[in-house]
Amino acid sequence: MLDRLRRLMPEHAAVANSRWLRWLGPSVLHPRLFHLSRRGVALGAAIGVFFAFLTPIAQIPASAAVCVMLRANVPAAIVGTLVNTPPTFGPVYYGAWKVGSWVLAEPTDEAHAPKALTQPAPSDEASDDRSWWERALAGLQRVGKPLLLGSLIFAVVFGSLAYLLCNGVWHWRVRSKRRRRLVAALKNGS
């Protein structure tokens, strides 16, 4: 499986000659950004999952930028952002709002839920003369602190779990390979 992943990784020359990445210079050419190591892959996956739960937009560029800064595996971060995709945004952010409300000790029943969560968006947006950005900010203000706090909690918890899971699975695979080799060597040596 690792050989298949290595074949899919971009080559050093391809990254260096890319017109989209050339302006970043040597920072994107660091070998650890695409190297398959336990620490790099686990950290990259954790960064990707962190940004997947923290923000619904620009997850991949944000996680890739942090991977460049921390020298983590960029492909693992990109795959990690795929745990929260547009079809799952609604349930995930509703759960984040519930968790944030619980932490802030705010009521979460239907009577106290923000209208943005309980009522569908008005279909006649032409009558609203505000820009898309202003409407989005107004909706975010209605949902407020509980959603931001819940999203941050989800990002930290699930990012940490991704790190521990990747690190644990990698460690387990290495130990099981070593154990099989040892058993095979003992059988052949007897």
Side-chain angles (χ1 to χ4, degrees), residues 3 23 26 29 33 37 39 42 72 75-76 82 88 99 103-104 111 124 131 141-142 146 149 166 176 185-186:
D3 293 332
W23 66 276
L29 299 177
L33 297 179
S37 67
R39 181 199 168 277
L82 300 177
T88 62
V99 168
V103 169
L104 292 173
D124 186 23
S131 70
Q141 287 174 349
R142 282 194 301 267
L149 179 62
C166 284
S176 66
L186 289 175

Side-chain angles (χ1 to χ4, degrees), residues 43-163:
L43 186 58
I47 290 168
V49 170
F50 178 83
F51 280 104
F53 285 101
L54 190 63
T55 176
I57 56 173
Q59 300 167 332
I60 292 175
S63 64
V66 172
C67 281
V68 168
M69 288 188 293
L70 298 178
R71 303 289 191 248
N73 188 282
V74 174
I78 291 170
V79 170
T81 61
L82 300 177
V83 297
N84 191 14
T85 58
T88 62
F89 285 164
V92 166
Y93 290 124
Y94 180 72
W97 173 77
K98 289 281 234 184
V99 168
S101 295
W102 177 75
V103 169
L104 292 173
E106 293 182 1
T108 59
D109 58 350
E110 284 290 321
H112 294 93
K115 292 179 182 172
L117 296 176
T118 58
Q119 295 177 353
S123 60
D124 186 23
E125 292 183 1
S127 64
D128 194 356
D129 58 349
R130 296 180 297 173
S131 70
W132 174 87
W133 183 249
E134 290 171 336
R135 288 193 307 269
L137 283 178
L140 185 60
Q141 287 174 349
R142 282 194 301 267
V143 178
K145 288 187 281 186
L147 175 63
L148 296 175
L149 179 62
S151 296
L152 185 61
I153 290 170
F154 275 22
V156 169
V157 168
F158 290 118
S160 300
L161 286 175
Y163 182 84

Side-chain angles (χ1 to χ4, degrees), residues 6-25:
R6 283 190 181 103
R7 282 192 306 250
L8 294 174
M9 296 283 187
E11 292 184 16
H12 190 74
V15 174
N17 295 331
S18 171
R19 69 179 182 145
W20 299 105
L21 300 175
R22 195 175 322 144
W23 66 276
L24 293 171

